[in-house]
Amino acid sequence: MHDNRVATVVSTAPFDDQKPGTSGLRKAVPVFQQPHYLENFVQSVFDALPDVAGKTLVVGGDGRFFNAEAIQVILRMACANGVGKLLVGQNGLLSTPAVSNLIRKHKAYGGFVLSASHNPGGPDGDFGIKYNIGNGGPAPESLTEAIYANSRRIDQYRIVEAPDCDLSILGPQSLGGMAIEIVDPVADYAQLMESLFDFDAIGALLRAGSFKMCFDAMHAITGPYAKAILEDRLGAPKGTVVNAVPLPDFGGHHPDPNLVHAAELVAKTRGKTPLDFGAASDGDGDRNMIVGANCFVTPSDSLALIAAHADCVPGYAGRLTGIARSMPTSRAADRVAEKLGVAAFETPTGWKFFGNLLDAGKVVFCGEESFGTGSDHVREKDGLWAVLYWLNILAKTNKPVAQLLAEHWAEYGRDYYSRHDYEGVDSAAAAQLMADLRAADLIGKSFDGRTVTLFDDFAYTDPVNGEHTTGQGVRIGFDDGARVVFRLSGTGTSGATLRVYLEHYEPRPEHQHADTQAVLAGLIATARAISGVEARTGRKAPDVIT
Ligand code: G16
């Protein structure tokens, strides 16, 4: 410890449930409110960063319930652990991609993101905390494992006694000898977006009057970002951004941009006078949903179209090296990579697995079926970035979303895709289901006219550092190109969530405009039969279909 800091050392005992999941530690708010719970985890992070003293960290969150209290604790613990400087979003607010950008732009050592992403907020909702490393991306497995190991043996933490910092005033202040800078959450991020996209073309489209769009911020963090960029800078009509004020409980809604939770937005793009374009982002601003007039762009297709149109976006023209997708994401992006002669990577679920590929320049675009798309501009997925990318495509091609999709499918074939989620099921039953699936021997077996040609539990070796990750989900591939994947979510906070990913490849243009669930019906029945999900969980149908 340097300078005049006086830390209090507090005795504590380990909690046994602080293992970071797919994206940091996520728990119900009351769990985080237990005495020492947050402090234990934060100290476990600091203990895994032996050289953090004197360094700069970034801190911000999505404004959900407990965000304000947690930030004050982190500030006091950072001070006690010798951190040199903290960059904090004004009022404690920063979207996840904005944190990533700030870390990179200011060459910070790392940062804390306070969010449970798309999970509901409020006193009975969820809270979360995630540590990002110096490249701006989520901590890799080796670090999260070290944090978890620390949390299992922790017996004390360090904190300074100090009054709360006023996070509403921009500029420098100090806390017990540690420098704090309160930064505008939007400014640097907006500048980055302007450097990537054709703002003149997008602005002309948005101001034309004939183009109608709506961005639903879902009462979450992207409200201020979207208002500043879409309305103030690009000139979209006031009111284009709805639910724009971040609320601690997201207005009682589920800030998850999908067909179920953003149903109001989707409704505006349907019927006789639909909007041309609709988009939404989630609690912490890293997810996105794209809808056009009477059409929905699956996240898997979105990644493929984004890659296929790289040449009409200034920040990406002529520099595509490769595309990465998480394993359960459809193979639509692979087809684009093949045609363009660039590399394609299949990684486990979790944005952290893209970090090394991006750092090494092996890929420019990454995407996940879970409504996540992004590029090498930051090391997180980025909701508003995806929306601006789509607006850039629309402005440059002058084609409606549905036409872009139809043309893409005609060229590459269509990957009909859907995910069925069984939420909050009994953890033991879900674990047994997965164990039995892994033990099954399905190669050569036939179901509903399809024969199994691929059957494995997905494992991945990082091509950059050789880290090997196993047990990432059961893949079942069929001879007609169809595929079913089973895995358990790593982001839920009660019971287990079983995800069943279904896809069917259709190369014939005349068959590419059917209803997705109808096309997948046979495959859905096969998945239910193979897994025995109904008998094992008592669920007759999934809770959420996206
Ligand atoms: C997180 C991760 C994503 C992952 C998603 C779903 O997203 O960052 O990489 O795809 O969870 O994970 P799971 O299927 O394990 O629930 P977010 O937006 O929640 O941070």
Side-chain angles (χ1 to χ4, degrees), residues 22-23 26 116-119 130 138 282 284 286-287 326 348-352 354 368-370 380-381 419 487-492 497 499 501:
T22 309
S23 189
R26 281 187 198 165
S117 187
H118 54 290
N119 296 18
K130 194 168 78 139
D282 70 331
D284 63 329
D286 57 1
R287 296 184 173 207
S326 68
T349 295
W351 205 262
K352 59 191 168 199
F354 295 136
E368 297 190 281
E369 51 67 39
S370 53
E380 289 277 6
K381 55 189 183 280
R419 186 177 96 185
R487 67 177 277 280
L488 298 183
S489 161
T491 58
T497 293
R499 304 208 193 283
Y501 309 83

